Amino acid sequence: MKLNWKRKELKQRWTLSAEEWKLLKNKTGPTRLGFAVLMKYFHITGRFPDGPREVPRDGIRFVADQLELSIKEWREYPWSGRVTTYHRNEIREFFSFRKASLHDAKAIQRWLTADLLNNEHRPDRLQEAVLERYRHLHIEPPTMDQINRMIQSAIADHEMRFCNSIGGNFNARMTDRMNKLLQLQPSADGEWTAWQNIKSDPGKAGLESIKEAVARLNSVRDIGLPAELFKAVHPKLLERYAKRATVEEPFELRRHMAPLRLTLMATFLHRREEELTDHLVDLLVETVHKMGKKAEKRIDDSLGDALQKAPSKMAKLYRIAKASVEAPQGVVEEVICFSP
């Protein structure tokens, strides 16, 4: 929960309802304020705070003002013991919630693995999603530490399942071709790998760059990844693994277990084939464009020399044509009358 609240937000979220006021009967002092604050916190978040520092001071003060109590009473509220347990049970019952069980945790973890981790992996977003899921089910969630452990377990389980479904299904020949990309080979600049060569980009547009791009593209296609390998994979999941492979060095990839290593490499190669194809097209277009410009200049220079040596009428026609290109908004008469 955020710590700073505007006045309008406090009125909307922290104002005690008529039904909530009824629960405050026979409660006084710190017990009254503590119960009211916990009740509003639970109403907003669907859970109890892990400690007093987690409750925003703005909310405490706003509730205290409604009860005409000093905010100092909050410090005296007990965070353990029979009174606290009774208060929490009363609040759960009021909002029709129940405590989470081990069965609930397993169900949430299965939900994370099957439905959420394909398109989301950021811890804060996963945490928010889990809390919202518990709230939707009217279940009080476990502590944040327990939730974070649950998320990490779900991430590990999801990765194992995904990698076994991709890299774990490659046959021996495919696995051997992939592993050879990571083998060190001597080069002019020291040891190098075919993997690093595939990752590098060709230089400026030109025949040599085109040859290099074609060679890289052929290296990727020679691996022979099945065309339908990632057909059922969510694009965000595919992109996530491809980006991860992009930043890892060959020695880092070699350290991974085979299913993870092969999956990272396969996702990268799948994306790399698309990138190299697009880049090759760009190189061809730019190279042809450059060649065309050079050819046009050579033709224009040769034609200009020939026409300048031609009879005066032909020379004038040449100057008119040239003027129409260089200054299309100009006056052709000036070219005809005043050009030498």
Side-chain angles (χ1 to χ4, degrees):
M1 177 182 284
K2 65 180 184 178
L3 297 178
N4 299 313
W5 291 69
K6 296 179 180 178
R7 185 70 181 177
K8 183 178 180 180
E9 294 174 326
L10 290 168
K11 287 183 178 180
Q12 291 175 342
R13 307 302 299 276
W14 289 86
T15 298
L16 293 163
S17 68
E19 293 299 316
E20 289 168 343
W21 273 101
K22 293 178 183 179
L23 294 179
L24 296 174
K25 290 181 179 179
N26 303 322
K27 295 180 178 68
T28 59
T31 299
R32 186 177 176 86
L33 178 58
F35 182 92
V37 170
L38 285 185
M39 180 167 57
K40 294 311 299 180
Y41 188 99
F42 194 94
H43 185 209
I44 295 168
T45 65
R47 67 182 184 90
F48 293 112
D50 290 339
R53 293 181 180 274
E54 200 174 319
V55 184
R57 191 171 181 82
D58 291 342
I60 300 170
R61 183 181 291 106
F62 189 79
V63 173
D65 290 344
Q66 293 176 74
L67 300 176
E68 297 181 351
L69 292 171
S70 169
I71 195 173
K72 295 179 181 178
E73 303 280 4
W74 170 251
R75 300 173 189 168
E76 305 300 322
Y77 182 74
W79 279 86
S80 60
R82 289 190 303 171
V83 172
T84 305
T85 300
Y86 177 77
H87 282 180
R88 295 192 177 206
N89 287 337
E90 192 175 1
I91 291 170
R92 280 190 215 98
E93 184 179 352
F94 177 73
F95 290 111
S96 301
F97 272 65
R98 63 175 175 81
K99 294 186 74 172
S101 65
L102 181 60
H103 175 77
D104 296 323
K106 290 181 178 179
I108 293 290
Q109 188 169 323
R110 287 194 299 270
W111 168 75
L112 274 170
T113 303
D115 297 345
L116 198 61
L117 285 170
N118 281 335
N119 56 27
E120 184 57 78
H121 70 287
R122 290 166 291 185
D124 56 332
R125 298 293 178 86
L126 293 173
Q127 192 181 86
E128 291 172 7
V130 168
L131 290 173
E132 184 56 36
R133 180 71 173 176
Y134 272 110
R135 184 175 181 179
H136 174 74
L137 297 172
H138 275 235
I139 301 172
E140 179 196 350
T143 64
M144 295 308 299
D145 285 342
Q146 290 173 312
I147 287 176
N148 289 333
R149 287 196 296 271
M150 182 194 308
I151 290 172
Q152 292 305 314
S153 179
I155 290 173
D157 183 49
H158 180 270
E159 180 165 284
M160 182 185 69
R161 290 170 182 267
F162 177 61
C163 292
N164 284 337
S165 70
I166 302 298
N169 282 328
F170 290 154
N171 58 34
R173 292 181 63 187
M174 176 71 72
T175 300
D176 184 59
R177 286 197 293 267
M178 300 276 276
N179 287 334
K180 282 182 178 179
L181 293 177
L182 301 177
Q183 290 179 357
L184 291 172
Q185 302 170 359
S187 69
D189 300 321
E191 293 183 324
W192 197 249
T193 65
W195 178 258
Q196 290 167 294
N197 187 53
I198 291 173
K199 287 175 66 175
S200 61
D201 291 318
K204 296 181 179 180
L207 188 57
E208 288 304 315
S209 295
I210 292 174
K211 289 180 179 179
E212 290 177 16
V214 170
R216 288 183 176 87
L217 184 57
N218 286 336
S219 296
V220 173
R221 290 177 174 173
D222 287 344
I223 299 299
L225 291 176
E228 304 296 316
L229 182 61
F230 297 107
K231 185 177 181 181
V233 177
H234 195 286
K236 286 187 177 181
L237 180 62
L238 178 61
E239 189 66 24
R240 192 159 79 228
Y241 275 79
K243 285 183 177 179
R244 181 175 168 184
T246 301
V247 299
E248 291 199 6
E249 295 296 331
F251 75 90
E252 293 175 305
L253 290 169
R254 287 193 293 266
R255 289 175 180 175
H256 295 308
M257 297 295 288
L260 174 57
R261 180 177 67 253
L262 296 173
T263 300
L264 287 170
M265 295 177 70
T267 55
F268 173 80
L269 292 171
H270 176 79
R271 278 280 185 259
R272 191 58 175 153
E273 182 176 0
E274 296 175 348
E275 293 171 356
L276 286 171
T277 302
D278 292 341
H279 189 55
L280 180 58
V281 171
D282 292 340
L283 281 175
L284 286 168
V285 171
E286 190 174 348
T287 301
V288 170
H289 181 69
K290 283 185 176 180
M291 291 171 64
K293 284 292 184 182
K294 290 179 180 178
E296 286 175 11
K297 188 176 186 305
R298 286 197 297 269
I299 293 171
D300 184 64
D301 291 343
S302 300
L303 183 60
D305 292 341
L307 288 175
Q308 290 288 7
K309 297 175 183 177
S312 60
K313 289 185 179 180
M314 291 296 293
K316 283 189 176 181
L317 286 174
Y318 169 74
R319 289 196 294 273
I320 292 170
K322 186 177 180 181
S324 67
V325 172
E326 294 177 350
Q329 303 300 322
V331 181
V332 176
E333 182 181 1
E334 295 177 1
V335 177
I336 298 172
C337 297
F338 300 107
S339 294

